[in-house]
Amino acid sequence: MYYISTRDPNNRITASQAIMKGLSADGGLFLPEEIPQLPKNALEELGNIPYCERAAYVLSLFLTDFSYDELLQYTTKAYSAAKFGTEKIAPMAKLNDRLYVLELYHGPTCAFKDFALQLLPYLLTAALRKNHCDKTVVILTATSGDTGKAALEGFCDVNGTKIGVFYPDGATSKIQRLQMTTQGGENVAVFAVKGNFDDAQNGVKQIFTDTDFAADLCEKGYVLSSANSINWGRLVPQIAYYVSCYCDLCQNGAIKQGEKIDVVVPTGNFGNILAAYYAKQMGVPIEHFICASNQNNVLTEFFTTGRYDRNRPFYTTISPSMDILVSSNLERLLFMQSHSTEQLKDWMQGLAKQGVYELPKDIMQEIRKEFIAGFADDAECKQTINHIWKKYGYLADPHTAVGLKVYQDCLKAGKTSNIAVVAATASPFKFAGDVLQAIEKDELPADEFERLTVLKNVTGLPIPDALYQLRHKAERFTKTCKPQEMPKTILSWLA
Ligand SMILES: *Cc1c(COP(=O)(O)O)cnc(C)c1O
């Protein structure tokens, strides 16, 4: 199977090349030329095997220049009970007969990004070998809070790689920042960017399309890649957990084989929800995708009106990993729905130049058959954390709570009637202060780690050890740069 760029379908490369490059030099994103189909009975058979085998199977359908055995080796190392604290790796919690939570936050950095970023180092280093590349890969990552740490953890001291992370200064939770700035390892660097996530992501994208910069690095023995969800290697491991959750729902009798479900995803860069869309394209019976945003509700407006307009205030919210106005992965969905590459390029040019594009009615009608969108502001998000805790004894983090709130709205409006799965994207302990306020409303302790302890005492839930250990760690990285200084910053780090 070959991969093409959203902006040039004639440029065909292999899966390993797509993973190596991350972003296409024409500014487009790589995607598979066609979607592999799950054979009949595959969902039944996958139900009987452990997570790492399910994942290796799904990966093998997309990454055809990797063997199944090779992929199984990687998934076995990446998805171990030791790392994820549970044999199930992606367990489900039942809130009621119609509503399940897919817990994606049991990995080493307590967010769903671990599913991709525990695996990506194996995929990427294998991709380098397959393509006889003897250069050191420099992985550049823009993060709104969780990708950075997950990427640092995955690539820390991996031979032949270096990893540089850019996060928006002052816009992550304190725990998220400490997770990144205390990171150990010889091959890592972390920088705060004076700006928001979009500025950081845009800075990284510009570097990727700067051929002079690439040539300069090449001479120094480096090649660039990305650990953001613009990299296909980030998305494909996420498809696996949607396939897996369908198998689990069938296994535990919640649904019958073939029954349609709805999937609710708290969304920022549109990567996680797009992975669910690919699962459907492969044959997983999903009817609707419910795209949940926080107050940065550019996607809600897009799905409602067909107009994507990033010219709007940027809000800093209590779900910081979704504080995004340019959802990069939407380009992959639009590519699949557009009538021509020229049309897609027009929209993307509109976005780059005026910050706006508008889809024709016929295309929006098709998209709306599958996608439903809504948003929740911080107050609604906190009310939802409180309500879900009181009613079901389930503690949701602010991102997951945005998903739960939008699901409830859709249910009331009669937009969803299938059994629904909400993706739980982070541990509530990453956002202990806001979660505590939501369920207790008492005065918060000033110290972040005392908040973790109070949250543990109030809920009886364990503090993830990796987060509690942060209190002893010194911050290693304190450099700040402007978005336009990112290239210079990278060069001086590599020198
Ligand atoms: C990254 C992230 C999201 C958004 O996921 P996208 O793939 O960017 O849509 C939501 N919640 C949490 C906790 C995240 O870390």
Side-chain angles (χ1 to χ4, degrees), residues 160-211:
T161 72
K162 282 182 181 281
I163 165 125
V165 168
F166 295 88
Y167 71 92
D169 194 20
T172 66
S173 82
K174 183 170 179 194
I175 290 279
Q176 285 178 316
R177 191 193 79 226
L178 289 177
Q179 279 186 300
M180 293 186 276
T181 56
T182 61
Q183 176 70 44
E186 292 305 309
N187 64 338
V188 308
V190 179
F191 307 97
V193 178
K194 289 274 171 217
N196 60 34
F197 169 75
D198 291 316
D199 299 320
Q201 170 160 271
N202 198 33
V204 168
K205 279 189 180 172
Q206 272 180 12
I207 290 168
F208 271 93
T209 48
D210 182 341
T211 43

Side-chain angles (χ1 to χ4, degrees), residues 103-128:
E103 294 183 347
L104 301 172
Y105 54 76
H106 295 291
T109 76
C110 308
F112 81 87
K113 311 288 203 295
D114 286 325
F115 278 85
L117 287 161
Q118 283 297 308
L119 192 68
L120 189 62
Y122 298 111
L123 297 178
L124 187 63
T125 48
L128 294 172

Side-chain angles (χ1 to χ4, degrees), residues 46-255:
L46 289 171
N48 301 316
I49 57 179
Y51 188 84
C52 56
E53 291 176 34
R54 292 177 184 176
Y57 178 76
V58 173
L59 288 162
S60 70
L61 298 181
F62 282 99
L63 309 180
T64 49
D65 56 343
F66 293 75
S67 73
Y68 172 80
D69 289 343
E70 185 182 11
L71 291 166
L72 182 60
Q73 245 183 41
Y74 304 154
T75 57
T76 307
K77 284 193 229 168
Y79 306 135
S80 65
K83 279 187 167 164
F84 279 72
T86 150
E87 291 288 343
K88 293 219 63 107
I89 310 299
M92 300 248 268
K94 178 177 177 174
L95 298 196
N96 64 41
D97 284 346
R98 316 290 303 163
L99 180 59
Y100 288 78
V101 174
L102 174 60
E103 294 183 347
L104 301 172
Y105 54 76
H106 295 291
T109 76
C110 308
F112 81 87
K113 311 288 203 295
D114 286 325
F115 278 85
L117 287 161
Q118 283 297 308
L119 192 68
L120 189 62
Y122 298 111
L123 297 178
L124 187 63
T125 48
L128 294 172
R129 288 194 301 274
K130 285 178 201 294
N131 293 286
H132 313 290
C133 173
D134 55 5
K135 301 223 183 312
T136 299
V137 209
V138 178
I139 294 131
L140 296 184
T141 299
T143 182
S144 55
D146 289 325
T147 296
K149 174 60 183 178
L152 290 163
E153 192 67 29
F155 282 99
C156 172
D157 289 334
V158 171
N159 274 339
T161 72
K162 282 182 181 281
I163 165 125
V165 168
F166 295 88
Y167 71 92
D169 194 20
T172 66
S173 82
K174 183 170 179 194
I175 290 279
Q176 285 178 316
R177 191 193 79 226
L178 289 177
Q179 279 186 300
M180 293 186 276
T181 56
T182 61
Q183 176 70 44
E186 292 305 309
N187 64 338
V188 308
V190 179
F191 307 97
V193 178
K194 289 274 171 217
N196 60 34
F197 169 75
D198 291 316
D199 299 320
Q201 170 160 271
N202 198 33
V204 168
K205 279 189 180 172
Q206 272 180 12
I207 290 168
F208 271 93
T209 48
D210 182 341
T211 43
D212 291 341
F213 190 76
D216 186 15
L217 281 190
C218 189
E219 245 173 61
K220 298 186 162 91
Y222 296 114
V223 31
L224 287 177
S225 189
S226 162
N228 281 106
S229 52
I230 50 180
N231 191 323
W232 179 256
R234 264 286 301 275
L235 277 188
V236 67
Q238 296 178 216
I239 301 172
Y241 54 67
Y242 290 107
V243 175
S244 173
C245 94
Y246 191 86
C247 297
D248 284 341
L249 286 172
C250 290
Q251 285 271 312
N252 66 23
I255 54 170

Side-chain angles (χ1 to χ4, degrees), residues 43 92 97-102 239-265 275-277 279-280 283-290 369-372 407 415-423:
L43 289 171
M92 300 248 268
D97 284 346
R98 316 290 303 163
L99 180 59
Y100 288 78
V101 174
L102 174 60
I239 301 172
Y241 54 67
Y242 290 107
V243 175
S244 173
C245 94
Y246 191 86
C247 297
D248 284 341
L249 286 172
C250 290
Q251 285 271 312
N252 66 23
I255 54 170
K256 290 194 290 292
Q257 199 58 247
E259 185 175 336
K260 289 200 169 113
I261 61 167
D262 288 345
V263 171
V264 186
V265 187
Y277 177 80
K280 175 175 182 173
V284 178
I286 300 173
E287 185 164 18
H288 296 119
F289 306 96
I290 299 178
K369 286 182 186 158
E370 294 177 291
F371 284 88
I372 306 170
Y407 166 74
K415 292 179 185 165
T416 171
S417 56
N418 296 314
I419 288 198
V421 176
V422 178

Side-chain angles (χ1 to χ4, degrees), residues 105 110-113 143-147 176 197 229 234-235 238 241 265-275 292 299 319-324 327 329 397-400 423-427 430-431:
Y105 54 76
C110 308
F112 81 87
K113 311 288 203 295
T143 182
S144 55
D146 289 325
T147 296
Q176 285 178 316
F197 169 75
S229 52
R234 264 286 301 275
L235 277 188
Q238 296 178 216
Y241 54 67
V265 187
T267 305
N269 221 2
F270 208 73
N272 202 6
I273 193 167
L274 190 73
L299 285 168
S319 45
S321 304
M322 294 154 65
D323 290 346
I324 293 177
S327 300
N329 273 294
D397 97 288
H399 304 77
T400 309
T425 50
S427 160
K430 270 189 135 162
F431 309 94

